[in-house]
Amino acid sequence: EPEVTQTPSHQVTQMGQEVILRCVPISNHLYFYWYRQILGQKVEFLVSFYNNEISEKSEIFDDQFSVERPDGSNFTLKIRSTKLEDSAMYFCATSGQAFSGNTIYFGEGSWLTVV
Amino acid sequence: GNSVTQMEGPVTLSEEAFLTINCTYTATGYPSLFWYVQYPGEGLQLLLKATKADDKGSNKGFEATYRKETTSFHLEKGSVQVSDSAVYFCALRLGAGSYQLTFGKGTKLSVIP
């Protein structure tokens, strides 16, 4: 079974600090995503990324968020100045294609706690 | 907009009981439908999917049928086990330029021996 790998598994940060969450996608996948799940709430879409650019983003993904593939393998989510309400589980996900029936594979998530 | 509505949890069942978790959706096009499962301390795993009307997805004894007329994708299992205890998420994906999955709130299932 192919795997999406995320680091760190848990991070505690002070409000206002920058955080970078990292993801190693499945090797032949071309589409990358970030989702988040605030405790007790729905899993929410943040952003999708293809061909080194953002292809779709939600209202949650404002100017404090950014994504990149710095070395052609890792896929990162940066939060520039964290807020208390950014505390959530952040899931990286990848897929081989974009059509609706194609499976999206999720990593195990990175717990972010902002204090 | 697109949305997924799942039955409220938590659901507690005895081992070998029959499971149904209801899921209905609202979508502007013709979505693909998915059930994901999240075991304690783990990430989301695809359980099953269906890409068009009347398709039945199945895996590990779980089944769900894509019902376009009732916009539903209910999850069923004939005999649950303790190891099925997890949170189950129904989700849809439109494609056609939209890459995202839209999730329901999740239903927590606890199976007791």
Side-chain angles (χ1 to χ4, degrees):
Chain A
E1 179 77 10
E3 279 192 351
V4 177
T5 306
Q6 289 186 240
T7 54
S9 56
H10 189 196
Q11 182 162 353
V12 180
T13 189
Q14 290 204 326
M15 193 168 54
Q17 295 296 303
E18 176 182 283
V19 163
I20 298 176
L21 305 178
R22 293 181 170 81
C23 170
V24 178
I26 294 170
S27 62
N28 60 345
H29 282 187
L30 301 175
Y31 296 85
F32 314 115
Y33 316 85
W34 284 101
Y35 288 75
R36 80 172 185 190
Q37 185 182 24
I38 295 172
L39 191 63
Q41 298 188 23
K42 283 188 181 187
V43 177
E44 302 171 293
F45 170 78
L46 294 179
V47 66
S48 61
F49 189 85
Y50 169 71
N51 200 25
N52 286 319
E53 59 183 31
I54 290 172
S55 46
E56 191 178 12
K57 61 182 181 178
S58 71
E59 292 176 352
I60 303 167
F61 195 87
D62 60 21
D63 289 345
Q64 72 159 340
F65 291 94
S66 62
V67 290
E68 64 175 357
R69 260 193 112 192
D71 55 10
S73 60
N74 292 306
F75 178 52
T76 63
L77 174 69
K78 182 191 289 186
I79 310 174
R80 287 190 185 80
S81 178
T82 50
K83 305 171 190 169
L84 294 176
E85 54 264 37
D86 293 328
S87 295
M89 175 75 92
Y90 288 82
F91 291 106
C92 176
T94 74
S95 67
Q97 297 180 50
F99 76 92
S100 65
N102 192 245
T103 298
I104 296 178
Y105 293 87
F106 285 78
E108 291 194 353
S110 295
W111 261 117
L112 175 64
T113 303
V114 182
V115 296
Chain B
N2 306 312
S3 66
V4 175
T5 302
Q6 283 181 241
M7 64 184 285
E8 294 287 331
V11 174
T12 302
L13 295 174
S14 298
E15 210 166 17
E16 299 183 2
F18 185 86
L19 168 71
T20 300
I21 300 178
N22 289 337
C23 171
T24 57
Y25 68 89
T26 303
T28 52
Y30 299 97
S32 293
L33 302 173
F34 303 81
W35 277 99
Y36 279 83
V37 58
Q38 186 178 30
Y39 297 104
E42 299 184 16
L44 295 164
Q45 301 175 26
L46 178 68
L47 181 59
L48 53 84
K49 68 179 182 182
T51 59
K52 61 183 187 298
D54 300 324
D55 269 2
K56 178 186 281 187
S58 61
N59 186 27
K60 300 181 181 180
F62 290 89
E63 292 183 341
T65 301
Y66 189 143
R67 301 285 188 202
K68 186 180 172 188
E69 63 276 13
T70 54
T71 62
S72 65
F73 192 55
H74 305 321
L75 182 68
E76 296 183 336
K77 187 175 185 183
S79 176
V80 293
Q81 305 300 312
V82 172
S83 57
D84 293 327
S85 298
V87 181
Y88 293 82
F89 294 91
C90 185
L92 68 83
R93 190 179 187 207
L94 278 178
S98 174
Y99 302 92
Q100 62 179 283
L101 281 165
T102 299
F103 285 88
K105 286 188 175 181
T107 303
K108 184 175 181 180
L109 170 67
S110 297
V111 181
I112 54 177

